[in-house]
Amino acid sequence: MPSESPRVSRLEPYLDRTEPAPTLLKMLVGVQLAGFREDAGLPQEQAARAVGFSPAKLSRIEAGKGRRPPTEADVRALLELYKTEEYETSVLLQLLRRAGEPGWWQRFDKRLMPEWFDRLVGLQEAADSIRTFEIQYVPGLLQTPAYTRAVVQRGLPSAPAREVERRVELRMKRAELLRRADPPQLWAVVDESVLLRVLGSRDIMREQLEHLIVMAQLPHVTLQIVPLDVTNASAPAIPVTYLRFGGLDLPDVVYLEHIKSATFLEDRDETEQYRVTLDQLADDALDPRQSLARLRETAEQRYGVV
């Protein structure tokens, strides 16, 4: 029996996942290839030249980026260069094949799923924990259908009704990850103005706050509110999502959303800055118990929730 690499043997459970996880598996394949290269003592540029790749191509493969996984021929060429053992090669190639299976979100129209958004959804599906800060809207994973519809109609006023409903459907499908048997931990910090700003109608806001009250009491959801009277809150000017992947040698990822694009940060120094910022925001915010009380108070006094 071939000797087993502890690093690779930890990946075997991912071969049996019932749901495809292409984003996670691409990242796992990339991280393992980078590890094999380092074990072989090869700098990235030298390894790329040895198999006829550009350094940029090898960098993308090791980072697990791109809508599609690398080809089996490309991965085999790298594994042969690194002289990996038969067991390691077998597991990695099986992971690669599974990485080619489309996730549920990849069945949506590509107009709704540009590559950067495809990557975000895939990362959220794979994350062990998700931290988020919102300054304008309720976090997407905590929205109701009516609230999402109002957000879409506000952002895309000329979109046809069919597109609006498909976007609502996509958002609700994404939120199902919080109802899985093994949901990620969600830690959301929200500016209080989000609760006070009427989006769509007061009825929509009433329903949305009722939903937030329910979700905030789930054991895997932590919701904190930054009150309006905190004048020196260390809040960034744009929404921030911080994703962590437990025990898989994967880097933390920070997602920064822009109007029609997004930035992903994986450098440890950069992600650490955002982790510290989110920690400071959590310190500025009401604690979870106080936040739930503020939610109930706002729902009752502003929107008539009984």
Side-chain angles (χ1 to χ4, degrees), residues 4 14 26 56 79 113 119 134 141 173 198 201 253 301:
E4 294 190 359
Y14 291 90
K26 281 185 297 185
L79 294 174
M113 295 295 300
R119 188 173 183 221
E134 280 285 352
L141 296 177
K173 183 69 175 175
V198 176
S201 71
V253 177
Q301 295 182 359

Side-chain angles (χ1 to χ4, degrees), residues 20 32 44 49 51 58 107-108 189 225 234 267 289 304 306:
Q32 296 307 313
Q44 194 175 71
R49 285 200 310 267
V51 292
L58 182 54
R107 301 184 182 99
F108 279 77
V189 178
I225 297 167
S234 51
D267 179 80
R289 181 184 57 80
V306 179

Side-chain angles (χ1 to χ4, degrees), residues 138-154:
V138 170
L141 296 177
L142 298 174
Q143 292 180 8
T144 64
Y147 186 92
T148 295
R149 190 173 294 108
V151 170
V152 174
Q153 290 172 336
R154 179 178 181 178

